[in-house]
Amino acid sequence: MKAVSGKRIGTIIMITLDWNIAPECISAVILSIIWLYSRRGSWLPTLRNRIFQCCFLVTFLAITTNILSTVMIAYYHVFPLWLTWLITTIYFIFTPLMGAVYCLYAATVIYQNKERLIRFMKLSMIPSILYTLLVLTNPFNKGLFDLNYQSGYVKGPWIAITYILFYAYCLGALFVAFMEKDKVEKNVFNILSAFPIIASVVIAVQQIFPTIILTGSAATCALLIIYLYLQNKQISMDYLTDIPNQLELSNMLEYLLSEYPKQHFSLFVISLRDFTQINSAFTHQVGDAFLKTIACYLASLVGQRHVYRFKGDEFAILIRQPHEVISVILKQIQERMQKPWRVKEHEAILSYVIGAVDYPESTTGIESLISSVEYAVSVAKKNYNGYVCYCDQNMFEMIQRKREIVKILKEKIANQDFEMYYQPLYSVATQQFEYAESLVRINDSPLGPIYPSEFIPIAEETGLIIEMTYMILDKVCKFARILLDEEINIKCIHVNFSAIQFRQPQLAQKVCEIIHKNNIPFSVIKIEFTESTLAENMDIIHDFVSDMEKMGIYMGLDDFGVGYSNISTVIQIPFTTIKLDKSLVWAVSKQEKSAIMVKNMIRTFKDLNLTVVAEGVEDDFQNQFMIRNGVDQIQGYYYSKPLPKEEMIRFMKEHNQNIRKG
Ligand code: C2E
Ligand code: CA
Ligand code: CA
């Protein structure tokens, strides 16, 4: 608060500069520094950010006019009286306004509901408006202060209103925070409650040392706290590339959608491919420098406020420009990306793809915008270097469906609600159906039946397959128990394991536990895995297969013929069964060359002591071919489609007695 001290000399009050304005001067400097730094933080033109900048402006004006007016009042006979009046009037206007803008800032942080915020803002501005009118009428009624050449500065009878109003606003901020305590994050609540505490400390200190002016210091402290905890540059900027981060992008999208819901914009993500290779080839420091260089280039192309660090090796560009302009920008980026990037003596051409989404054409809503652009990137990554994938309406619908399926999978996992089907495998030697493959089904869902070809990849991508597989294994064990109890001749049921399952620690232990719990021999379960599993986990799977073998659980290689792995490596894994993929089986009846190849493959596998299964056998020709060439087991619609539990029991009872095909 403005501390005024006077010495009565005769009848004239001589005001001297015996109050201390040093804290105000230091505060002005500190405030300017924070203000400068804060401008490098969030650039979003949101109400909150604007009011935050307003806080600086108002505080700065209050502090500087306080310093000026104090000096001018002390030397009032030196300065023109009207100027001292003017500066002091400005000081009086801005002092309680400081409290008002802090209070408004607090409200923007607290109120999520825009209507309530606006109502609060309107209401809270009324005292400020009335007070400003009072300040403007002061030259006539001298209610706040008087200034004249005879007595200098004289306090008016209503001067306390200025300070009361300032503190009332501080309390107002605290009041709002308390009222909305449940909805406000704890740290935000703590920060906002700090204002009144600072204000009370200042009042107390001011009482003890009335000559020290502390208003500006208190306000600067408040702003410093807000800056450090709520408006900090680190919250919105990426440390490495010095461009805004993904959080800032989400905030920007939120802002655009709420403020300009009808306005078009494009969001695209430039994703660097195989950037880990760059890191390992040149070191991480050089990798970082490459990222910085690209960020710099993109910022120079579209403006620093439009580029965001989306993920480690991905940059997003958000622009509100017509399609033609965007095409030109994209073309420029593509041309530049074809050329090498240079960091000191290192040079590299970086391969990349681009995913793009248009608002509102393709999608609406922040989450769907982000997931659409991510999906577009993932599709682009499956294509060639430099590929640009636009997420259109169709793609968006696919994403929606995918999301629905994830939801359904989660529900099914929670309710253990997967249906299991079993497809019998015909054993050529015994002419019985002693083996079967378990196949999971979703026949009943809000989307109708969903095929495994659709939901299994989604379950794998989301990691849900891990829990699902344990659940499926348990169901299969229970089914095997029923078959054994009914004395049906079942040697083994195959269960499919996805590649990701093998990354699970204690997989062997869990598998054994489930089988053991269901009280069936270990040998009744066979685990099918594909070549893709080996690509990532060669050593892990080798150990796992050996562990399983020791327990009497055997493994089968599925889908042989679709992978591209090195067969000499594959064969190192101690599995016992190999299943020829449908495509190989079908090729047999189409091409003579394929038939020769399959024939020789079967012979080779037999020589390696493997049990050979042919899958997808649909007609008599394929069936005869497989039997003639020594295949051990045959799976396919020729014998039976996958069957639900009860039908499978009936099928096995029927066919394992009557061995001829029905
Ligand atoms: P897969 O492991 O190769 O399973 C064989 C697929 O071929 C099954 O399709 C089966 O219904 C189908 N099939 C069998 N005989 C014939 C035939 O004669 N003609 C034709 N056209 N198809 C035949 P399904 O049940 O749709 O399963 C597709 C894939 O989904 C499976 O391929 C497997 O990769 C995955 N899958 C199914 N159930 C599970 C499971 O429980 N766990 C895991 N991880 N994956 C599963
Ligand atoms: Ca399989
Ligand atoms: Ca298969």
Side-chain angles (χ1 to χ4, degrees):
M1 296 302 102
K2 193 176 184 65
V4 181
S5 139
K7 283 181 189 159
R8 191 172 278 273
I9 304 171
T11 53
I12 303 168
I13 298 174
M14 268 299 289
I15 314 280
T16 54
L17 199 58
D18 63 355
W19 55 87
N20 192 346
I21 55 166
E24 289 298 88
C25 295
I26 297 166
S27 299
V29 175
I30 296 173
L31 183 79
S32 308
I33 295 169
I34 312 169
W35 196 1
L36 211 72
Y37 268 86
S38 80
R39 297 203 63 81
R40 292 178 38 76
S42 177
W43 286 320
L44 294 192
T46 55
L47 192 60
R48 171 173 159 175
N49 287 348
R50 284 199 200 127
I51 293 183
F52 182 57
Q53 290 300 322
C54 254
C55 287
F56 280 108
L57 183 68
V58 172
T59 311
F60 187 76
L61 284 173
I63 295 179
T64 44
T65 50
N66 193 8
I67 297 167
L68 284 176
S69 121
T70 310
V71 175
M72 288 167 106
I73 286 167
Y75 301 103
Y76 69 96
H77 46 277
V78 179
F79 294 97
L81 198 60
W82 65 267
L83 192 62
T84 314
W85 260 102
L86 182 70
I87 298 291
T88 310
T89 303
I90 297 175
Y91 158 75
F92 267 91
I93 291 176
F94 280 104
T95 296
L97 262 191
M98 270 193 293
V101 281
Y102 292 146
C103 185
L104 291 186
Y105 176 80
T108 58
V109 176
I110 293 165
Y111 286 122
Q112 303 301 325
N113 180 320
K114 212 170 162 189
E115 274 171 29
R116 284 187 73 190
L117 175 65
I118 302 284
R119 205 174 332 130
F120 176 83
M121 291 179 97
K122 281 182 184 163
L123 260 173
S124 57
M125 283 321 285
I126 295 173
S128 282
I129 294 167
L130 294 176
Y131 170 80
T132 308
L133 290 176
L134 178 72
V135 181
L136 294 176
T137 57
N138 183 58
F140 312 106
N141 53 36
K142 317 276 170 34
L144 295 169
F145 67 92
D146 190 12
L147 258 179
N148 53 58
Y149 281 122
Q150 289 78 42
S151 18
Y153 172 85
V154 182
K155 284 182 191 175
W158 305 331
I159 190 162
I161 295 177
T162 306
Y163 310 122
I164 291 170
L165 193 59
F166 175 81
Y167 288 116
Y169 275 121
C170 291
L171 284 176
L174 184 68
F175 178 73
V176 178
F178 256 112
M179 292 302 286
E180 303 285 318
K181 196 174 174 190
D182 302 340
K183 295 177 204 144
V184 179
E185 279 174 42
K186 197 164 178 286
N187 68 332
V188 173
F189 176 78
N190 292 344
I191 293 158
L192 296 178
S193 343
F195 297 170
I197 296 168
I198 296 171
S200 324
V201 171
V202 170
I203 295 176
V205 175
Q206 199 81 89
Q207 292 305 315
I208 307 165
F209 307 104
T211 56
I212 304 173
I213 305 176
L214 287 171
T215 333
S217 312
T220 307
C221 282
L223 275 175
L224 183 63
I225 293 170
I226 296 176
Y227 173 70
L228 287 179
Y229 292 98
L230 299 178
Q231 296 281 150
N232 192 341
K233 174 177 175 244
Q234 259 81 50
I235 297 171
S236 43
M237 299 296 280
D238 174 58
Y239 185 71
L240 175 73
T241 53
D242 209 27
I243 55 172
N245 57 21
Q246 204 194 22
L247 178 70
E248 184 78 344
L249 175 66
S250 307
N251 291 339
M252 186 61 173
L253 289 172
E254 198 173 316
Y255 171 76
L256 289 178
L257 297 193
S258 71
E259 296 297 316
Y260 308 100
K262 294 209 171 74
Q263 208 179 78
H264 160 87
F265 64 79
S266 290
L267 171 69
F268 40 98
V269 167
I270 298 133
S271 173
L272 302 175
R273 282 172 140 187
D274 313 319
F275 199 72
T276 37
Q277 282 178 16
I278 296 286
N279 278 334
S280 36
F282 297 102
T283 74
H284 269 273
Q285 282 84 346
V286 178
D288 284 355
F290 273 120
L291 290 176
K292 265 193 236 176
T293 315
I294 295 170
C296 229
Y297 162 73
L298 293 173
S300 68
L301 185 69
V302 293
Q304 205 171 9
R305 294 181 181 210
H306 303 289
V307 187
Y308 300 80
R309 178 116 184 250
F310 192 64
K311 280 179 197 157
D313 51 4
E314 290 183 345
F315 296 96
I317 293 181
L318 174 64
I319 28 180
R320 289 189 274 173
Q321 297 276 5
H323 281 293
E324 307 79 65
V325 181
I326 290 166
S327 311
V328 173
I329 293 172
L330 270 178
K331 210 156 171 250
Q332 282 173 312
I333 295 175
Q334 284 173 304
E335 278 168 12
R336 177 64 192 90
M337 292 298 290
Q338 279 168 7
K339 296 181 200 148
W341 297 88
R342 186 169 243 288
V343 168
K344 291 183 195 154
E345 69 278 13
H346 310 292
E347 244 185 61
I349 294 179
L350 301 177
S351 85
Y352 74 102
V353 291
I354 297 179
V357 59
D358 280 335
Y359 175 89
E361 292 88 334
S362 339
T363 172
T364 51
I366 299 175
E367 261 181 49
S368 62
L369 271 164
I370 300 264
S371 55
S372 301
V373 82
E374 280 175 342
Y375 188 72
V377 168
S378 70
V379 173
K381 275 185 178 163
K382 290 182 192 135
N383 283 281
Y384 52 84
N385 178 27
Y387 188 86
V388 182
C389 173
Y390 264 95
C391 179
D392 55 17
Q393 191 65 36
N394 276 349
M395 223 187 243
F396 179 63
E397 277 162 19
M398 273 166 61
I399 298 169
Q400 293 280 79
R401 183 174 165 88
K402 203 170 146 185
R403 221 179 272 155
E404 278 287 307
I405 292 176
V406 171
K407 206 172 126 208
I408 291 167
L409 287 174
K410 284 186 180 163
E411 277 168 14
K412 297 247 170 215
I413 290 174
N415 303 328
Q416 308 215 344
D417 194 20
F418 292 100
E419 275 180 72
M420 292 311 300
Y421 274 48
Y422 298 89
Q423 190 172 24
L425 269 68
Y426 176 73
S427 300
V428 178
T430 60
Q431 301 189 341
Q432 290 209 26
F433 293 89
E434 301 157 326
Y435 297 85
E437 177 174 9
S438 67
L439 294 155
V440 63
R441 291 281 178 271
I442 296 182
N443 288 331
D444 177 29
S445 85
L447 298 175
I450 311 169
Y451 296 104
S453 51
E454 186 175 16
F455 72 76
I456 293 284
I458 296 175
E460 287 174 339
E461 210 176 287
T462 50
L464 293 170
I465 193 77
I466 293 165
E467 204 43 44
M468 264 174 78
T469 303
Y470 294 132
M471 210 168 270
I472 287 166
L473 179 63
D474 188 55
K475 282 179 189 277
V476 174
C477 290
K478 289 197 163 62
F479 180 64
R481 186 67 259 160
I482 296 173
L483 295 182
L484 292 174
D485 288 346
E486 298 213 12
E487 295 183 343
I488 292 168
N489 180 17
I490 181 80
K491 287 221 167 70
C492 176
I493 304 180
H494 296 217
V495 182
N496 292 287
F497 271 35
S498 300
I500 166 181
Q501 200 74 30
F502 295 94
R503 284 192 222 144
Q504 287 307 295
Q506 293 160 339
L507 174 66
Q509 193 191 330
K510 276 196 182 159
V511 169
C512 291
E513 265 170 29
I514 295 171
I515 302 176
H516 182 73
K517 190 181 80 186
N518 283 290
N519 192 25
I520 55 163
F522 283 112
S523 60
V524 174
I525 297 297
K526 185 173 280 174
I527 295 169
E528 281 190 17
F529 66 98
T530 57
E531 283 168 79
S532 63
T533 313
L534 303 175
E536 295 173 41
N537 316 297
M538 190 70 188
D539 293 337
I540 299 174
I541 190 155
H542 191 281
D543 294 347
F544 175 76
V545 176
S546 308
D547 284 354
M548 291 285 100
E549 206 173 30
K550 278 181 217 143
M551 300 297 297
I553 306 168
Y554 296 104
M555 304 282 295
L557 182 69
D558 194 10
D559 296 345
F560 181 80
V562 294
Y564 303 95
S565 28
N566 182 347
I567 183 67
S568 58
T569 323
V570 174
I571 230 72
Q572 302 305 318
I573 303 286
F575 54 84
T576 56
T577 303
I578 189 157
K579 205 188 256 189
L580 304 181
D581 187 63
K582 300 188 260 294
S583 53
L584 277 186
V585 172
W586 296 339
V588 159
S589 37
K590 286 191 200 118
Q591 284 172 339
E592 180 60 24
K593 273 186 188 169
S594 308
I596 297 170
M597 191 185 68
V598 172
K599 194 167 137 179
N600 286 300
M601 264 180 196
I602 298 169
R603 181 150 8 106
T604 311
F605 295 139
K606 294 296 305 166
D607 288 347
L608 288 167
N609 256 337
L610 290 169
T611 303
V612 182
V613 185
E615 141 191 294
V617 170
E618 291 185 345
D619 58 36
D620 198 44
F621 178 82
Q622 292 162 354
N623 186 47
Q624 288 305 325
F625 180 93
M626 297 304 159
I627 294 176
R628 205 172 47 242
N629 288 293
V631 161
D632 300 288
Q633 289 161 22
I634 300 170
Q635 175 182 6
Y637 295 173
Y638 180 70
Y639 289 102
S640 169
K641 288 201 164 186
L643 304 169
K645 215 162 68 175
E646 292 74 21
E647 277 182 47
M648 181 65 178
I649 296 176
R650 220 174 301 136
F651 182 94
M652 294 201 82
K653 277 184 181 166
E654 202 177 309
H655 290 83
N656 284 357
Q657 288 154 13
N658 175 9
I659 48 172
R660 230 160 270 141
K661 187 180 150 282

